[in-house]
Amino acid sequence: KPADFKPLVETAVELFGHDRVMFGSDWPACLSAGTYVDAYEVLVQALRPISPEVFAKIFGRNAQDFYRLTDMEYFISPQH
């Protein structure tokens, strides 16, 4: 459940900062514990409260910058 992950997520963000943390999963291995959406929801819940700017970094912009990807559309939002 999300509450179990909150301390882990908070520690990762504290240690690495919002500019170096990004969403990822071990899909399809995570399917043994839930769906991809379940993994996403756990992180969203663990990060709350979160600003739209920080959300965009963790769920796309940091990966875009790190992997030098071209412009991406962000299809998820913290209000999801």
Side-chain angles (χ1 to χ4, degrees), residues 1-73:
K1 62 186 173 183
D4 294 338
F5 288 90
K6 190 162 185 75
L8 303 171
V9 171
E10 288 175 343
T11 299
V13 171
E14 181 182 318
L15 291 172
F16 297 104
H18 294 125
D19 293 328
R20 294 178 56 202
V21 174
M22 63 180 84
F23 172 70
S25 80
D26 59 353
W27 187 90
C30 70
L31 294 177
S32 65
T35 67
Y36 183 85
V37 172
D38 292 336
Y40 163 80
E41 287 293 335
V42 164
L43 183 57
V44 169
Q45 293 297 321
L47 285 167
R48 285 196 172 136
I50 186 172
S51 71
E53 294 80 19
V54 171
F55 185 91
K57 287 180 179 185
I58 292 174
F59 285 92
R61 192 165 301 126
N62 290 344
Q64 182 180 353
D65 293 345
F66 182 82
Y67 293 108
R68 298 182 187 140
L69 302 173
T70 57
D71 288 338
M72 299 172 11
E73 282 192 41

